[in-house]
Amino acid sequence: MSKYITTPIYYVNGEAHIGHAYTTFIADSMARYEKLKGEDTYFLTGTDEHGQKIEESAQKSGKPTQEFADEISASFKNLWDEFEISYDKFIRTTDKEHKIGVQKAFEVMYNKGDIYKDFYEGHYCVSCETFFTEMQLVDGEFCPDCGRSTNVIKEESYFFRLSKYEDALLKHYSDNPDFIMPRSRANEVINFVKGGLRDLSVTRTSFTLGVKMPESIKDDKHVMYVWLDALMNYITALGYGAAEEKMRYWPASVQFVGKDILRFHAIYWPAFLMSLDLPLPKHIGAHGWWTRDGEKMSKSKGNVISPKQVADAYGVENLRYFMLREVPFGQDGDFSQRAFIDRINSELSNDLGNLLNRIIGMSGKYSDFEIDSVDVLKYHKKEIDAMNLVLDSLDAFMQNFQTHRYLEELWRLFSIGNKAIEEHAPWVKMKENRKDEALATVALVANILAKASIMLHPIMPHTTNTIADALNFNIDNSSYKELILDKKLLKLFNIKVVPPLFPRVEEPLMPEAPLAQPNANKEIAQEAEKCSRKQDNLIEIGQFFETSLKVGIVVAAEEVPKSNKLLKLQVDLGEDKPRQVVAGIREFYSAESLINTQVCVVANLKPAKLMGMVSEGMLLAAKDEDGLCLIRPEKPKKVGTPIG
Ligand code: ME8
């Protein structure tokens, strides 16, 4: 079965930052993984070049729109080329074939009766290129997604009958629980659809930068809504509406997106596809945000980190490893230079790099760089079995896009190798004239390194080719089949000396401090390392006690209208009256289930306003890829009991 993997197409309103690089790295690694397995795989990325946002950015730059789009699109493409992203096609929505495909799709939906003409009056957020109803706005004016001011727009518009697809969408989510990954993200989509879908305005008359209407409809005032145009890229790239020879790749096996654009991909896109009578993608993989100081990194906020700058300092493959290892798929992650350096030094340099160096050194010393695997099974059955168990477990993590777990498990192989060397001490065996045994251990570890490099190849292609070169084999589909699927050992190694792959990083390599500051005080940092709390910033105990934490009991709870996330709670903290706490936990708890249950509350936060309601505290909770749970006292405690 063929595989089709996509990234979002990136807006050309600014250069790529590490958020874009992250999506592209995940998709690239997945595509490389499938190709390594011998799957017929097509990998698409590209740029989104229409809409009011781009028109405004071009105007600000003082350049003609097309020239502006050409430059930024090229900067994305050049960066991906420099990073050796293995895309099969880089699509631009200004490509002629794309526009023809979008017009064709519009026509099909129109002829089916799924698109009709009417008037639209609503509040438009240019940054999100989305209309909102008055009720959806925060404080009657602000965009509920990005918080920016919205504009009132009244215009004639064509509408897509999104409401018609409500039931079909809900059925699809329930029949295909893995459609939205991670599963924990599905609830927000399902709740949104259950809340009722309004027909979607899919054309604009207020600006001109967009795909024109199809000839057959002849309504030149209108251009197509940028999201309709953009989403269609996933099929126009395969030739939809023109030469359709690549449409055999459809449906996509996975479409990677950031959680910010999940709604477009998990609601609008499937509805458009249903209208076009095309099958739906197998998975929409929604990842979290890279944040800086807790805030989403974004071009419009200007708080971005340049992937080129990081890659120049640390190497692009180290960056790929770090980003895919650091953050569980679906979760947010803060980009910290300290955490990056820790992973380079401990995992890449110590665990992997040193193991390779030891094998190069021992093979040279004991047998002139030539070792065979004849005695490996005789002396190392236990290690081989352990290695095979790890190798067998890996595919499932990749299929669930859990790159952090995949790498974590993969690293167990290096522990098996390092442990075997310590336990069997080949240098002692050599002294005792037990050369066969000594060489068997070296060959075992060489095999471990070979197999691990095959599995690491999709994430670190060059580095693993260097390892393969040092061990004298090739990483390709046939070695994948032999060494991973058939579990064979490499018979003979002719080992080559290669320079250390991962020089240790002693000091941050980025000039000023564009990333999170490393801990200023080295001693404290070392102490923290011992406690294996490497990435936390240490605080004084007094600082902790500045936070007043108290046990409370929920005495009333209700859903906040128009919000999929918020619940309004009344929490008794033993004060003269209960406090109102507005908490973003509705996806995980129903209002009724909370009544009469105990919670832990941050009681001395400045009151905040959420959707116009005052919130006088915050509940303690823990969230991972399986969802969120409240932190509660193990046994019931008197309300108001301080925690600490
Ligand atoms: O939304 N952390 O384009 P865009 C992680 N053109 N990923 C991030 C990120 C962050 N801080 N910021 C951006 C668009 N991304 C539309 C898409 S698709 C038919 C149209 C990544 O340039 C993430 O993948 O704003 C997000 O979905 C994408 O960039 C949005 O890029």
Side-chain angles (χ1 to χ4, degrees):
M1 207 182 56
S2 62
K3 301 278 173 176
Y4 181 33
I5 294 162
T6 66
T7 73
I9 45 172
Y10 304 113
Y11 281 131
V12 289
N13 63 334
E15 308 230 325
H17 60 72
I18 58 160
H20 305 113
Y22 176 61
T23 321
T24 309
F25 289 157
I26 300 179
D28 182 61
S29 301
M30 196 69 208
R32 285 175 182 273
Y33 183 76
E34 296 296 355
K35 287 176 187 172
L36 181 66
K37 285 171 68 182
E39 303 286 357
D40 175 17
T41 304
Y42 200 73
F43 169 27
L44 174 74
T45 189
T47 44
D48 187 354
E49 307 184 16
H50 291 141
Q52 196 171 350
K53 178 148 97 170
I54 309 298
E55 197 170 75
E56 286 180 3
S57 299
Q59 274 160 11
K60 267 189 212 146
S61 80
K63 291 188 182 149
T65 324
Q66 191 60 44
E67 185 183 324
F68 176 79
D70 286 348
E71 273 176 23
I72 301 200
S73 175
S75 81
F76 270 91
K77 187 162 184 293
N78 292 340
L79 185 69
W80 300 155
D81 288 343
E82 190 179 325
F83 285 179
E84 297 189 42
I85 300 302
S86 61
Y87 60 81
D88 295 288
K89 184 175 170 79
F90 186 99
I91 193 170
R92 301 182 57 185
T93 53
T94 45
D95 291 342
K96 191 165 152 243
E97 301 75 27
H98 168 74
K99 292 184 200 165
I100 293 172
V102 176
Q103 286 171 335
K104 171 78 188 169
F106 195 97
E107 208 168 45
V108 171
M109 297 194 286
Y110 182 81
N111 290 339
K112 195 173 179 180
D114 277 354
I115 290 182
Y116 63 93
K117 195 162 158 183
D118 203 340
F119 273 91
Y120 194 90
E121 181 161 10
H123 300 260
Y124 195 64
C125 172
V126 175
S127 183
C128 298
E129 298 277 20
T130 308
F131 270 112
F132 294 98
T133 61
E134 183 122 30
M135 305 296 277
Q136 288 173 306
L137 297 182
V138 176
D139 290 343
E141 177 185 349
F142 301 105
C143 168
D145 282 352
C146 74
R148 288 187 184 77
S149 208
T150 52
N151 306 325
V152 179
I153 292 183
K154 177 170 184 183
E155 57 183 50
E156 185 186 87
S157 177
Y158 286 83
F159 286 83
F160 172 74
R161 289 190 200 279
L162 187 61
S163 53
K164 171 177 158 187
Y165 290 97
E166 215 171 280
D167 292 342
L169 285 169
L170 289 172
K171 179 166 178 349
H172 188 78
Y173 307 138
S174 109
D175 292 349
N176 301 276
D178 284 337
F179 175 61
I180 297 165
M181 306 254 285
R183 283 181 179 206
S184 52
R185 287 237 96 84
N187 272 348
E188 67 196 62
V189 171
I190 294 170
N191 286 338
F192 190 92
V193 177
K194 281 190 178 155
L197 293 177
R198 297 157 57 96
D199 290 350
L200 185 70
S201 156
V202 286
T203 64
R204 298 283 183 272
T205 53
S206 52
F207 62 93
T208 54
L209 185 60
V211 178
K212 299 205 169 14
M213 299 291 277
E215 280 289 315
S216 59
I217 298 178
K218 284 205 179 33
D219 203 345
D220 286 348
K221 278 206 302 243
H222 293 261
V223 291
M224 287 190 211
Y225 173 45
V226 60
W227 270 103
L228 175 96
D229 157 9
L231 287 163
M232 293 297 165
N233 94 87
Y234 301 127
I235 50 174
T236 63
L238 301 178
Y240 178 83
E244 303 213 347
E245 88 274 15
K246 295 243 157 39
M247 278 302 283
R248 70 191 161 86
Y249 286 106
W250 191 258
S253 28
V254 51
Q255 306 210 257
F256 288 108
V257 297
K259 64 180 181 182
D260 48 334
I261 56 172
L262 176 60
R263 198 195 313 154
F264 298 94
H265 285 81
I267 301 175
Y268 302 170
W269 178 224
F272 292 156
L273 287 166
M274 287 176 184
S275 175
L276 294 173
D277 290 317
L278 285 172
L280 308 198
K282 296 272 178 277
H283 305 291
I284 302 293
H287 64 71
W289 287 336
W290 283 91
T291 57
R292 193 161 173 194
D293 302 324
E295 275 215 57
K296 182 190 177 223
M297 230 179 264
S298 81
K299 287 177 273 199
S300 30
K301 280 194 190 130
N303 60 347
V304 298
I305 293 169
S306 143
K308 165 103 176 88
Q309 195 190 358
V310 184
D312 284 348
Y314 290 94
V316 64
E317 299 215 347
N318 288 356
L319 176 61
R320 287 169 72 107
Y321 173 78
F322 171 69
M323 296 191 96
L324 268 53
R325 173 66 186 83
E326 179 76 0
V327 181
F329 185 78
Q331 305 271 298
D332 292 349
D334 218 53
F335 199 95
S336 136
Q337 197 166 196
R338 184 75 259 160
F340 189 8
I341 294 173
D342 282 344
R343 289 210 185 271
I344 293 179
N345 288 345
S346 71
E347 289 156 20
L348 295 174
S349 183
N350 277 0
D351 298 342
L352 169 55
N354 282 351
L355 194 60
L356 179 67
N357 290 343
R358 290 177 92 175
I359 289 312
I360 295 175
M362 287 193 276
S363 68
K365 211 157 150 195
Y366 305 156
S367 67
D368 205 15
F369 296 108
E370 244 193 56
I371 29 172
D372 62 46
S373 298
V374 276
D375 288 327
V376 172
L377 270 169
K378 185 163 149 201
Y379 295 111
H380 290 292
K381 172 106 179 45
K382 184 182 85 181
E383 287 86 355
I384 295 283
D385 288 346
M387 173 183 77
N388 286 336
L389 267 183
V390 172
L391 289 169
D392 286 344
S393 73
L394 293 177
D395 189 62
F397 293 120
M398 204 54 144
Q399 298 309 334
N400 289 315
F401 323 125
Q402 291 176 304
T403 57
H404 77 296
R405 290 286 294 115
Y406 179 90
L407 289 167
E408 189 178 31
E409 285 305 304
L410 184 49
W411 248 246
R412 281 188 205 281
L413 296 177
F414 306 130
S415 311
I416 297 173
N418 271 316
K419 202 162 150 231
I421 295 181
E422 294 317 317
E423 270 179 24
H424 294 266
W427 51 94
V428 175
K429 305 264 162 70
M430 286 301 284
K431 276 192 198 135
E432 293 170 354
N433 247 345
R434 291 153 73 190
K435 188 169 175 181
D436 284 0
E437 281 178 59
L439 291 186
T441 306
V442 181
L444 164 78
V445 178
N447 274 291
I448 289 179
L449 279 167
K451 291 177 194 244
S453 352
I454 295 177
M455 298 310 274
L456 184 58
H457 186 67
I459 288 137
M460 305 187 84
H462 273 292
T463 311
T464 48
N465 278 340
T466 310
I467 301 177
D469 190 37
L471 300 176
N472 194 29
F473 80 106
N474 287 324
I475 299 180
D476 52 26
N477 178 244
S478 71
S479 60
Y480 171 80
K481 278 190 183 140
E482 265 182 46
L483 302 191
I484 306 299
L485 296 186
D486 299 343
K487 302 189 165 49
K488 289 192 184 145
L489 299 179
L490 270 172
K491 282 203 180 73
L492 188 70
F493 293 90
N494 274 307
I495 304 227
K496 223 200 262 170
V497 178
V498 290
L501 292 177
F502 310 103
R504 281 184 69 80
V505 179
E506 301 302 343
E507 292 295 330
L509 299 175
M510 305 272 285
E512 77 290 11
L515 311 184
Q517 282 288 334
N519 212 320
N521 184 331
K522 272 208 166 143
E523 272 166 41
I524 294 179
Q526 278 158 5
E527 203 49 45
E529 209 156 306
K530 276 191 216 140
C531 312
S532 72
R533 289 189 286 134
K534 291 180 236 177
Q535 290 137 37
D536 291 353
N537 285 327
L538 298 185
I539 58 166
E540 300 294 336
I541 184 86
Q543 281 171 277
F544 173 74
F545 284 115
E546 282 173 21
T547 311
S548 162
L549 298 172
K550 288 185 180 173
V551 175
I553 188 159
V554 180
V555 290
E558 61 184 283
E559 291 169 355
V560 172
K562 307 280 172 301
S563 165
N564 296 322
K565 300 213 166 98
L566 299 180
L567 290 180
K568 187 166 79 174
L569 313 175
Q570 304 302 324
V571 183
D572 184 356
L573 290 178
E575 297 164 336
D576 45 354
K577 64 178 178 52
R579 292 216 200 172
Q580 176 162 295
V581 174
V582 181
I585 55 173
R586 179 166 163 188
E587 291 160 69
F588 309 97
Y589 290 90
S590 67
E592 314 80 69
S593 72
L594 290 171
I595 295 173
N596 279 332
T597 66
Q598 291 210 321
V599 286
C600 298
V601 181
V602 181
N604 61 341
L605 277 182
K606 285 192 186 139
K609 241 186 169 182
L610 290 163
M611 304 263 305
M613 289 164 303
V614 178
S615 178
E616 303 167 301
M618 188 178 89
L619 304 188
L620 295 191
K623 191 172 176 191
D624 66 8
E625 64 269 34
D626 295 326
L628 173 145
C629 75
L630 289 169
I631 310 290
R632 306 173 186 277
E634 191 192 1
K635 294 184 197 139
K637 285 278 143 199
K638 268 198 225 115
V639 291
T641 305
I643 303 169

